[in-house]
Amino acid sequence: MNYNNKKLLKTLQGHKFNTPPVWLMRQAGRYLPEYREVRKQAGSFLDLCYNPTLTTEVTLQPLRRFNLDGAILFADILLIPNALGQHLEFKEGIGPILEPLKNNEDIENLRNTEDIHSTLEPVYEAVTNIRSKLETNITFIGFAGSPWTVATYMIEGKGSKDHIKTKTFMLNYPQVFKKLIVKIQDATIEYLSKQIEAGVDVIKLFDSWANSLPAIYIEKYSLEPMKVIAKEIKKRFPNIPVIVFPRGIGPMYKKFAMVKEFDCVAVDSSIDLDWAKKNIQKEIVIQGNLDPAYLISGGKELVEGTLNIVNKFSSSGHIFNLGHGITPDAKIHNVELLLKTIKEKN
Ligand code: 1CP
């Protein structure tokens, strides 16, 4: 691996720079006309995810336009359920639809962990391709969903706001639910190991629905499974940093900052910067946390909001990012303004 000038990777290893490295969640996606073009060409969203030539192209698209420090592999957190044998489709205007898991038998019928790779092979091929095309100063980020967040889709069968079905399952059948979590966890370890072998520099675990868990379950079902994954990844690949993003959990973020297997905690936009500096950044590199709405509104608020975050976190490890993914109506000139504001700050 060539560590040449990789500002983002080096920040995760404890180096400090004048301005923070920056990348944006969902930096490849529908706000880019060139993405929409490839998406049309691909047919379905899953056809895009399993086409290494096209995923390489869309991964690289934002890097051609913007002065970013990181590239994130174009894939989706729901490829793991699909590779475990669950039927998955992305419906236009609706989102992901899966055949929901209802009971122990459905979980027992999922594929064995070692059988996921035949489905996921195109993703590993894309990683190799992307690696060979990336400039040496760009850090390459691989990712997966957290076991909890992936389990919500496997049980609900679609996106949900309250995850009532998943939580009822968890409370009624704790042992069966735990079996599912361990299954996703083990598959994720194997999936991420292959991404690393194919060339990613850093891993990010997206726990987008951590905020749905009752607080007393956050350690058990959000933190613990991500810790098991990070620990095994570190055992196999000691130099690969792990970023975790348990979204929307307020003061519980502090627990994640104390875990030695994690290298960075990404925070959402609801987190107060002074609190985060004292309680998270003191312990660990922090990533975040501009609200994606600023990339629609733009102007003075965008500049001030960005500088406020950069200045607040300037004394130790910080990776600039949004508090959640870019939305399809984000404006390209606002992304440019955001990057200019950070890169030209003195
Ligand atoms: O038609 C399209 O283009 C669909 C939009 C889209 C895109 C661009 C989906 C469907 N997935 C993706 C790519 C994607 N997903 C990436 C790589 C691109 C990048 O970041 O540049 C990543 C990292 C993800 C991760 C992902 N998928 C998460 C975690 C991050 C988050 O935003 O919270 C989640 C929850 C998903 C599920 C998913 N995939 C797609 C949709 C519409 C959804 C959400 C469904 C819901 O509302 O519950």
Side-chain angles (χ1 to χ4, degrees):
M1 193 192 301
N2 185 350
Y3 286 95
N4 235 348
N5 307 317
K6 286 192 159 84
K7 190 172 169 179
L8 202 161
L9 180 63
K10 284 186 175 160
T11 297
L12 288 164
Q13 293 165 335
H15 296 260
K16 181 76 188 67
F17 299 89
N18 282 341
T19 58
V22 48
W23 70 282
L24 303 170
M25 282 188 261
R26 294 277 173 106
Q27 64 190 29
R30 283 173 297 172
Y31 74 107
L32 292 176
E34 61 271 33
Y35 169 81
R36 295 197 295 269
E37 204 42 55
V38 174
R39 174 79 174 71
K40 239 195 294 174
Q41 229 187 76
S44 77
F45 179 71
L46 267 192
D47 288 336
L48 171 56
C49 288
Y50 293 134
N51 181 323
T53 310
L54 297 183
T55 51
T56 300
E57 169 58 21
V58 294
T59 298
L60 297 175
Q61 282 174 345
L63 281 295
R64 292 195 195 109
R65 272 187 189 267
F66 310 120
N67 189 3
L68 294 156
D69 296 289
I72 180 157
L73 169 66
F74 192 90
D76 197 85
I77 65 164
L78 300 179
L79 299 188
I80 283 282
N82 193 221
L84 284 169
Q86 206 174 10
H87 182 75
L88 168 68
E89 244 177 287
F90 284 84
K91 287 221 165 103
E92 235 30 76
I94 299 175
I97 304 287
L98 304 92
E99 179 66 41
L101 301 178
K102 292 192 188 64
N103 48 38
N104 185 47
E105 197 189 341
D106 289 348
I107 292 168
E108 290 287 338
N109 282 339
L110 291 168
R111 277 189 204 136
N112 292 328
T113 301
E114 57 276 19
D115 297 333
I116 61 173
H117 301 304
S118 54
T119 305
L120 297 169
E121 200 56 53
V123 179
Y124 312 142
E125 193 183 323
V127 173
T128 308
N129 272 345
I130 296 161
R131 169 87 280 163
S132 72
K133 293 191 164 139
L134 273 184
E135 305 277 343
T136 54
N137 61 331
I138 305 295
T139 300
F140 189 11
I141 303 160
F143 76 93
S146 75
W148 162 253
T149 288
V150 172
T152 66
Y153 288 95
M154 294 178 85
I155 293 175
E156 305 282 335
K158 57 183 186 324
S160 156
K161 294 242 178 303
D162 55 20
H163 306 105
I164 287 290
K165 251 168 96 179
T166 314
K167 287 190 279 187
T168 310
F169 195 108
M170 169 187 95
L171 294 166
N172 278 344
Y173 312 105
Q175 277 154 346
V176 182
F177 186 72
K178 182 76 206 278
K179 200 193 295 176
L180 175 62
I181 291 288
V182 169
K183 181 99 195 179
I184 302 167
Q185 176 192 290
D186 292 348
T188 302
I189 290 168
E190 299 311 320
Y191 178 47
L192 293 175
S193 295
K194 292 276 189 187
Q195 289 186 26
I196 295 165
E197 282 162 9
V200 304
D201 301 309
V202 171
I203 290 299
K204 178 161 179 188
L205 293 170
F206 286 91
D207 198 0
S208 304
W209 301 117
N211 62 331
S212 268
L213 278 163
I216 53 163
Y217 280 96
I218 288 180
E219 281 188 72
K220 186 174 166 108
Y221 285 129
S222 170
L223 189 149
E224 270 304 318
M226 291 203 283
K227 184 172 158 182
V228 171
I229 294 169
K231 195 170 183 171
E232 184 59 27
I233 292 292
K234 303 244 152 202
K235 197 168 131 204
R236 297 184 188 183
F237 311 96
N239 297 322
I240 299 290
V242 176
I243 303 171
V244 290
F245 180 41
R247 191 166 71 90
I249 58 165
M252 292 294 282
Y253 272 116
K254 200 171 168 173
K255 302 243 183 211
F256 290 74
M258 308 303 288
V259 175
K260 69 173 193 316
E261 287 82 2
F262 301 154
D263 299 273
C264 173
V265 172
V267 298
D268 63 84
S269 309
S270 73
I271 293 300
D272 175 71
L273 302 181
D274 287 311
W275 183 88
K277 188 175 153 95
K278 241 189 278 155
N279 291 284
I280 299 172
Q281 202 194 18
K282 191 162 73 64
E283 309 293 342
I284 199 167
V285 175
I286 195 163
Q287 178 179 285
N289 71 341
L290 188 75
D291 195 296
Y294 285 85
L295 291 178
I296 308 166
S297 62
K300 186 164 125 290
E301 286 74 20
L302 169 59
V303 173
E304 285 173 7
T306 301
L307 288 175
N308 188 30
I309 293 168
V310 172
N311 290 332
K312 194 65 79 177
F313 293 140
S314 63
S315 54
S316 78
H318 176 219
I319 296 167
F320 192 96
N321 205 317
L322 304 175
H324 201 192
I326 297 189
T327 55
D329 46 356
K331 303 214 168 51
I332 286 167
H333 64 264
N334 287 336
V335 177
E336 285 162 354
L337 178 59
L338 167 81
L339 289 160
K340 186 168 179 283
T341 304
I342 299 172
K343 303 281 175 184
E344 293 178 9
K345 186 189 160 320
N346 43 39

